[in-house]
């Protein structure tokens, strides 16, 4: 079953032992869900970047895949176009983060990738945690290992996921200290040297949006 970049990001972000989201994300998960979802739409040609690096809707390519991608596409299509990637990401993160989070996790539950569970603490509080198909995540980690530690070919999907996961600091728990040091070097190389069109540009825009979100007090 093919996984979207957003789904792969979530699988990496959940702690295997606790079933909780990585604390490094804090309140910023919505930002990364918005950024990865937008990238999916760019790679599928639902949206295009014009000569001025502005986003325009491509009506001949309706969004395919999980329903949350259609929801994101609808939000973008209703905005004034052409629009900047940074403004769209910040808008999705600031006003629609909870809805996007709900739609992504519900989709992953429906697809059998996650199962929601709850436990009590001090007989009062209920904490939500997640169980997952560990073989699915192990397959994902093997693919990342091939690209980031064995210099394998990085297609648009894995390159994008690697950059996004590194920016969110959720790769480190999955690798040893020595491996992670090598991975950081590899990602720095991929970010600056990779010839795949669109991904490096998207990533630079995403980082700018992240900075704007923090400076506006949204992070």
């Amino acid at each position: 079953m093919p996984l979207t970049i957003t789904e792969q990001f979530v699988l990496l972000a959940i702690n295997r032992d606790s079933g909780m989201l990585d604390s490094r994300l804090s309140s910023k998960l919505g930002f990364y869900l918005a950024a990865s979802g937008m990238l999916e739409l760019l790679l599928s040609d639902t949206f295009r970047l014009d000569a001025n690096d502005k986003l325009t809707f491509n009506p001949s390519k309706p969004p395919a895949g999980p329903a949350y991608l259609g929801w994101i596409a609808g939000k973008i299509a209703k905005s004034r176009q052409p629009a900047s990637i940074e403004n769209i990401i910040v808008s999705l993160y600031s006003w629609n983060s909870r809805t996007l989070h709900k739609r992504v996790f519900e989709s992953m539950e429906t697809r059998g990738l996650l199962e929601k569970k709850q436990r009590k603490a001090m007989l009062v509080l209920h904490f939500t945690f997640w169980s997952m198909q560990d073989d699915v995540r192990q397959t994902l980690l093997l693919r990342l290992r091939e690209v980031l530690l064995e210099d394998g070919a990085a297609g648009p999907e894995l390159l994008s996921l690697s950059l996004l996961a590194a920016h969110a600091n959720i790769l480190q728990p999955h690798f040893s200290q020595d491996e992670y040091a090598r991975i950081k070097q590899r990602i720095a190389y991929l970010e600056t040297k990779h010839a795949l069109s669109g991904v490096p540009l998207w990533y630079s825009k995403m980082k700018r949006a992240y900075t704007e979100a923090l400076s506006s007090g949204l992070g």
Side-chain angles (χ1 to χ4, degrees), residues 17 48 69 83 93 96 149-150 161 168 196:
D17 297 322
R48 294 176 175 176
L69 289 176
Y93 174 47
N96 300 280
L149 290 173
E150 300 171 10
L161 176 64
L196 286 172

Side-chain angles (χ1 to χ4, degrees), residues 2-124:
L3 302 179
T4 68
I5 296 173
T6 302
E7 290 168 341
Q8 293 176 80
F9 182 90
V10 170
L11 291 177
L12 292 174
I14 295 177
N15 183 283
R16 183 177 60 183
D17 297 322
S18 69
M20 307 285 285
L21 287 165
D22 194 309
S23 59
R24 293 171 181 80
L25 285 175
S26 186
S27 62
K28 301 181 180 69
L29 177 62
F31 176 88
Y32 292 105
L33 297 182
S36 59
M38 282 187 62
L39 177 62
E40 296 273 5
L41 296 171
L42 284 169
L43 292 177
S44 67
D45 201 31
T46 298
F47 288 88
R48 294 176 175 176
L49 287 173
D50 65 18
N52 297 314
D53 296 340
K54 298 295 184 180
L55 208 60
T56 57
F57 180 63
N58 179 11
S60 67
K61 286 282 188 175
Y68 68 81
L69 289 176
W71 180 82
I72 293 175
K75 289 291 183 182
I76 302 174
K78 290 178 182 178
S79 64
R80 181 180 297 178
Q81 295 182 29
S84 72
I85 294 178
E86 302 98 305
N87 288 347
I88 292 294
I89 292 179
V90 171
S91 175
L92 287 170
Y93 174 47
S94 57
W95 308 117
N96 300 280
S97 184
R98 288 186 178 181
T99 302
L100 179 56
H101 182 285
K102 182 174 182 290
R103 286 175 176 266
V104 169
F105 277 73
E106 285 180 347
S107 173
M108 293 183 71
E109 285 185 90
T110 300
R111 280 160 58 80
L113 297 171
L114 294 176
E115 181 181 356
K116 181 189 291 185
K117 297 184 178 181
Q118 289 190 327
R119 59 172 172 256
K120 288 184 178 180
M122 297 182 292
L123 302 178
V124 178

Side-chain angles (χ1 to χ4, degrees), residues 153-211:
E157 172 200 342
L158 281 187
L159 172 60
S160 305
L161 176 64
S162 300
L163 293 173
L164 198 64
H167 188 275
N169 295 316
I170 60 173
L171 281 177
Q172 188 172 3
H174 301 290
F175 299 92
S176 70
Q177 185 174 352
D178 290 341
E179 287 175 334
Y180 189 62
R182 290 162 54 197
I183 283 173
K184 288 196 295 184
Q185 294 178 342
R186 172 70 168 162
I187 287 177
Y189 170 81
L190 290 173
E191 181 182 352
T192 57
K193 302 296 183 181
H194 209 286
L196 286 172
S197 62
V199 174
L201 172 61
W202 160 82
Y203 184 61
S204 68
K205 297 286 186 179
M206 188 278 297
K207 288 196 296 184
R208 188 178 302 171
Y210 181 84
T211 302

Side-chain angles (χ1 to χ4, degrees), residues 128-146:
T128 297
F129 65 104
W130 304 92
S131 64
M132 69 185 75
Q133 298 180 17
D134 200 50
D135 59 330
V136 175
R137 183 158 66 175
Q138 288 306 312
T139 299
L140 169 59
L141 289 171
L142 287 174
R143 294 174 64 208
L144 286 172
R145 179 176 292 275
E146 180 181 353

